[in-house]
Amino acid sequence: MFQGEKVFIRPMSTEDLPHLMRWRNNGELAKYIWPGIPTPTPRARQREWYERMLADDSRKVFVICETAGQSPIGIIGLANINTRNQSGYLFIWIGESIHWGHGFGSEAMVIFLGYLYRILNMRRIILEVYEYNERAIRAYEKVGFVKEGKVRRSVFKDGRYVDEYIMSMLKDEYFAKYPTKRWGEESK
Amino acid sequence: MIQGKYVRLRAVEPEDLPKIVEMFNNPEVSIPLGAAYLGMALEQEEQWYANYLKGEDQLGSLAITDRLTGEHLGQIGFNQISYKNRTAVIGLFLAPVYWGKGYGTDAMMALCHFGFTQLNLQKIQLNVFAPNRRGIRAYEKCGFQIEAVMRQHSYVDGRFADDLIMGVLVEEFMPIYGRYIGSE
């Protein structure tokens, strides 16, 4: 669907569901996602979730694959899409820690944001991240997100309340940072 | 069987669906179509196919194939047929590897000819984004003229683009088709 250098993004199929469950219940990723506690889920419920997702215009989920090997390494998507405000909440998981720190997630975000701003006409993309997820915050800032505020003690996680940052990136900021030729434009 | 010089138009079979989904998920193919199908999962296309089979006819979506090799090149169809007005809206797409070889023009010629001579249409219409100069050139070859410009009607790849309505009448098309078929 969208080809980058290290990764590409494609639609999700039912065959991806076991990967999702494995990642979600994997201790390392679970620390950074919501709800994150291992949540046993029967296959029928997973399928139901998938079919609801396909039919739901307010959210989209796609699979991130490594270009080398073509194998799925994570997901990226947009939730709570508000078409009047042209906004939505971005989420991204890179499932296994061996794939962290290679720039896979950053590249996937830049590609996916292009889809959101250029194709879907989104204007404001928001994300929420736990205060202690410093690696992710650095990556989001590199991509172009800015911290807008700290939501104090917003989530109960691993036996304590944790703070969350709200970050966002606007369409104008994206186009300024990642200029490209638009479809149908003559090269000058 | 609907045939052009180079292409044959046939009904969609289940084994075509992965190829169609692959084309839809290519931004180069999907952006000129309005990008509504970009990001489509095979499961969604399978649901579409179940409805396609229930339709009275399958003219809404036909596979464009190479007459010699049978290769599946793209899709074409009449989106809305009005037998009262004797009009239809046509649309097509091809996988990028088959662009610039005359397949699109040939498929348009074949389906328009079928529409005028078999379905008794008197006019065929289409929509195209103004930046799609390749498409407009091909449609003009088939006799289509720009009838209306819907200004800044569609958000296309990061900016608003004009949406053109083009149309061709049966009496305009038939001589063009005759010259096209007569030439080698």
Side-chain angles (χ1 to χ4, degrees), chain B residues 8-173:
Chain B
R8 173 173 291 147
L9 310 182
R10 61 159 175 80
V12 179
E13 300 294 342
E15 54 273 24
D16 299 324
L17 301 181
K19 180 103 191 251
I20 296 173
V21 170
E22 193 189 315
M23 290 190 245
F24 278 151
N25 278 302
N26 183 338
E28 281 191 277
V29 174
S30 246
I31 287 173
L33 302 174
Y37 306 124
L38 189 56
M40 178 186 259
L42 182 60
E43 282 81 354
Q44 288 168 302
E45 184 68 3
E46 285 165 351
Q47 282 170 20
W48 166 83
Y49 190 68
N51 288 324
Y52 173 81
L53 294 179
K54 286 185 211 142
E56 209 169 291
D57 63 51
Q58 275 65 44
L59 298 174
S61 190
L62 299 169
I64 306 171
T65 61
D66 187 304
R67 258 177 80 162
L68 297 176
T69 65
E71 227 172 319
H72 183 190
L73 316 172
Q75 293 291 117
I76 192 166
F78 285 129
N79 302 324
Q80 307 147 29
I81 300 176
S82 164
Y83 287 105
K84 177 193 152 248
N85 295 326
R86 293 169 50 211
T87 58
V89 176
I90 199 167
L92 91 159
F93 60 89
L94 292 175
V97 286
Y98 306 117
W99 290 358
K101 298 182 161 68
Y103 287 123
T105 302
D106 195 50
M108 282 292 279
M109 288 282 189
L111 192 60
C112 288
H113 182 255
F114 175 84
F116 289 129
T117 57
Q118 307 302 321
L119 303 180
N120 197 16
L121 301 177
Q122 58 93 16
K123 176 180 185 176
I124 296 173
Q125 220 176 36
L126 61 82
N127 287 66
V128 60
F129 296 134
N132 189 358
R133 279 177 280 272
R134 174 201 301 276
I136 295 167
R137 266 199 304 277
Y139 303 145
E140 282 172 342
K141 255 191 257 174
C142 299
F144 284 84
Q145 297 175 20
I146 296 171
E147 297 188 336
V149 179
M150 296 194 281
R151 297 171 307 142
Q152 297 195 15
H153 194 74
S154 303
Y155 187 79
V156 181
D157 198 16
R159 84 291 204 205
F160 289 100
D162 293 349
D163 210 338
L164 311 183
I165 299 178
M166 299 183 80
V168 65
L169 307 178
V170 59
E171 61 268 29
E172 294 163 350
F173 177 79

Side-chain angles (χ1 to χ4, degrees), chain A residues 37 49 51 53 80-81 94 125 130 136 141 147-148 150 152-154 167 174 178 183 187:
Chain A
I37 33 170
W49 171 87
E51 278 160 12
M53 185 275 288
N80 297 333
I81 298 174
I94 300 295
I125 302 300
Y130 300 141
E141 284 175 334
K147 284 179 187 162
E148 290 191 326
K150 188 192 266 186
R152 298 176 304 155
R153 299 193 192 178
S154 69
M167 302 181 78
Y174 183 85
Y178 305 100
W183 172 73
S187 36

Side-chain angles (χ1 to χ4, degrees), chain A residues 1-2 11-15 47 50 54-55 62 115 117-122 171 175 181-186, chain B residues 21 25-28 31-32 34-35 38-44 47 129 131-133 155-160:
Chain A
M1 179 180 162
F2 302 113
M12 184 181 287
S13 86
T14 46
E15 283 138 53
R47 227 198 134 93
Y50 173 75
L54 287 185
F62 299 102
Y115 167 66
Y117 293 123
R118 296 171 61 160
I119 306 295
L120 298 187
N121 198 8
M122 288 286 124
K171 182 200 263 182
F175 284 163
K181 207 172 80 162
R182 316 263 166 92
W183 172 73
E185 261 173 16
E186 301 284 0
Chain B
V21 170
N25 278 302
N26 183 338
E28 281 191 277
I31 287 173
L38 189 56
M40 178 186 259
L42 182 60
E43 282 81 354
Q44 288 168 302
Q47 282 170 20
F129 296 134
N132 189 358
R133 279 177 280 272
Y155 187 79
V156 181
D157 198 16
R159 84 291 204 205
F160 289 100

